[in-house]
């Protein structure tokens, strides 16, 4: 079933490309508070998996002075008053509609009772539907964990900005035809972006969620009113930005694939920056930024040509990293 879900996503990505003349972006927004609550890759894919109603409810949303694909799920300093957010304004029935998208859930890992996180008891909680897949992103030539995570999802309108020039994964953030107007978003890249070839490019993978964090998207960073990365392994897929790692994850020089029971400290491997293109990754966060499934010994990935492969959790980074990089010129054969 999980393999079939990924195959259907592959068809949706290719249909999106044919219709919009480009790839679905990581996100319409970016890493800053004011634009991190914007629709992710998964929302943009809704019309291509027969979820037009959900897509339109986001595309037409308006909150305050910001407009366009606004899916603010964390109050961002508004305390526990969730009625002022897009998510908080919805009825239970409407929320359940977002939780009904079974294609984004792995039946091996999660039951229907774990389809939503809707705890409004703290400002840092990120409400929304939960999913088991993440867009494969690749950032390099950056010098810190903050740069590798924030940088690869930052929205910029110029091709020369650092946030764009460090992105080398399957897809990048959206372009805005009119700065600040998210309704004008456009795909940034076509499949020509995958210069190493479609069969040599990872697009989507199963994301690592430690067993103790399943169904939880609760943070602790009240001062900044954002979600703490160490507590959001199962963050919603609707939006990305800051520490909301539910929509996309980064392949970098570390143990990328995890076993189900592994938490952050068990899975973390510190990597020194040697100026070879990979960032410093500290044990403080990396355990929740990787990929992994609850299938025995493998994690399933969608490739650019639409094929799905179960990759062994023992596969070294020397193989995984090139598969996540669109233009390193390496042809990789999986064992």
């Amino acid at each position: 079933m999980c393999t079939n879900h990924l195959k259907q996503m592959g068809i949706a990505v290719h249909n999106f490309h044919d219709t919009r003349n480009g790839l679905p972006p990581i996100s319409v927004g970016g890493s800053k508070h004011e634009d991190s609550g914007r629709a992710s890759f998964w929302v943009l894919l809704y019309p291509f998996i027969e979820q037009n109603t959900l897509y339109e409810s986001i595309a037409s949303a308006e909150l305050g002075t910001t407009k366009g694909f606004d899916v603010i799920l964390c109050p961002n300093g508004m305390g526990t008053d969730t009625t002022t957010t897009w998510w908080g304004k919805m009825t239970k029935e409407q929320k359940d509609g977002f939780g009904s998208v079974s294609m984004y859930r792995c039946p091996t890992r999660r039951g229907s009772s774990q389809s939503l996180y809707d705890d409004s008891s703290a400002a840092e909680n990120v409400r929304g539907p939960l999913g088991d897949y993440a867009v494969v992103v690749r950032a390099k030539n950056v010098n810190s964990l903050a740069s590798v995570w924030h940088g690869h999802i930052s929205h910029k309108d110029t091709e020369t900005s650092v946030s764009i020039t460090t992105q080398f994964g399957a897809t990048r953030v959206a372009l805005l035809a009119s700065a600040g107007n998210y309704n004008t978003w456009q795909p940034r890249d076509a499949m020509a972006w995958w210069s190493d070839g479609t069969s040599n490019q990872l697009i989507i993978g199963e994301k690592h969620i430690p067993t103790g964090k399943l169904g939880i998207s609760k943070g602790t960073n009240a001062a900044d009113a954002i979600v703490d990365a160490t507590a959001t392994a199962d963050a919603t897929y609707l939006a990305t930005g800051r520490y909301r790692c539910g929509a996309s994850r980064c392949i970098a020089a570390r143990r990328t694939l995890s076993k189900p029971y592994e938490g952050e400290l068990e899975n973390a491997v510190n990597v020194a920056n040697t100026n070879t293109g990979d960032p410093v990754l500290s044990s403080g966060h990396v355990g929740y930024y990787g990929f992994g499934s609850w299938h025995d010994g493998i994690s399933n990935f969608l490739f650019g040509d639409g094929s799905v492969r179960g990759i062994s959790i023992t596969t070294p980074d020397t193989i995984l990293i090139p598969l996540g990089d669109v233009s390193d010129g390496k042809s990789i054969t999986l064992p």
Side-chain angles (χ1 to χ4, degrees):
M1 182 67 75
C2 190
T3 299
N4 183 59
H5 285 180
L6 283 164
K7 287 181 178 178
Q8 293 302 311
M9 293 175 204
I11 293 172
V13 169
H14 279 255
N15 286 341
F16 180 105
H17 182 274
D18 293 344
T19 303
R20 296 298 303 263
N21 298 314
L23 295 164
I26 298 171
S27 174
V28 172
S31 66
K32 296 180 180 180
H33 290 314
E34 61 267 28
D35 61 16
S36 62
R38 303 289 168 177
S40 72
F41 171 101
W42 303 99
V43 171
L44 304 181
L45 217 57
Y46 271 160
F48 301 90
I49 60 167
E50 300 181 349
Q51 297 295 337
N52 285 287
T53 300
L54 297 182
Y55 179 82
E56 290 301 327
S57 71
I58 292 175
S60 61
E62 184 173 356
L63 179 65
T65 58
T66 59
K67 186 176 182 180
F69 296 89
D70 197 338
V71 289
I72 292 178
L73 306 154
C74 176
N76 251 357
M78 289 185 272
T80 57
D81 180 15
T82 60
T83 60
T84 57
T85 68
W86 167 81
W87 181 259
K89 290 178 178 179
M90 285 194 290
T91 65
K92 182 181 183 301
E93 182 179 12
Q94 289 172 318
K95 293 175 181 178
D96 288 343
F98 282 93
S100 70
V101 185
S102 59
M103 186 184 295
Y104 288 168
R105 299 195 303 271
C106 170
T108 302
R109 172 184 280 164
R110 147 185 355 256
S112 59
S113 61
Q114 297 168 322
S115 62
L116 288 175
Y117 185 74
D118 196 30
D119 184 357
S120 61
S121 62
E124 306 79 51
N125 292 354
V126 173
R127 277 69 89 179
L130 304 174
D132 293 303
Y133 309 99
V135 180
V136 176
V137 296
R138 172 82 173 120
K140 56 184 180 180
N141 300 319
V142 293
N143 296 316
S144 70
L145 176 68
S147 294
V148 68
W149 182 240
H150 297 172
H152 79 255
I153 52 168
S154 291
H155 170 82
K156 298 291 182 183
D157 292 324
T158 63
E159 290 292 338
T160 58
S161 68
V162 172
S163 297
I164 297 303
T165 59
T166 59
Q167 295 177 15
F168 290 88
T171 182
R172 299 187 287 178
V173 296
L175 278 170
L176 298 187
S178 176
N181 185 348
Y182 297 95
N183 284 326
T184 67
W185 74 271
Q186 300 173 357
R188 183 176 292 273
D189 303 300
M191 284 186 183
W193 171 241
W194 303 339
S195 63
D196 287 345
T198 58
S199 63
N200 208 46
Q201 184 59 49
L202 299 176
I203 307 177
I204 297 168
E206 294 185 90
K207 63 186 180 185
H208 173 51
I209 303 174
T211 52
K213 299 298 183 181
L214 192 66
I216 298 173
S217 184
K218 182 176 183 178
T220 58
N221 195 341
D224 207 10
I226 60 173
V227 174
D228 189 337
T230 60
T232 58
D234 203 7
T236 180
Y237 65 76
L238 284 188
T240 188
R242 296 295 292 185
Y243 297 118
R244 303 169 192 173
C245 52
S248 60
R249 298 203 175 182
C250 190
I251 280 187
R254 55 172 294 274
R255 185 177 173 186
T256 301
L257 299 183
S258 311
K259 298 177 182 178
Y261 57 80
E262 289 180 312
E264 181 172 313
L265 296 180
E266 295 174 73
N267 188 41
V269 179
N270 291 331
V271 180
N273 182 7
T274 58
N275 296 318
T276 59
D278 279 299
V280 174
L281 295 177
S282 70
S283 61
H285 298 94
V286 297
Y288 292 149
Y289 286 164
F291 294 86
S293 77
W294 283 20
H295 306 297
D296 188 19
I298 66 166
S299 184
N300 291 307
F301 283 84
L302 170 69
F303 284 72
D305 60 1
S307 64
V308 176
R309 293 282 302 272
I311 299 179
S312 170
I313 61 172
T314 61
T315 303
D317 294 330
T318 52
I319 291 178
L320 290 171
I321 290 174
L323 289 174
D325 193 316
V326 298
S327 57
D328 59 3
K330 296 179 181 178
S331 180
I332 300 297
T333 301
L334 285 167

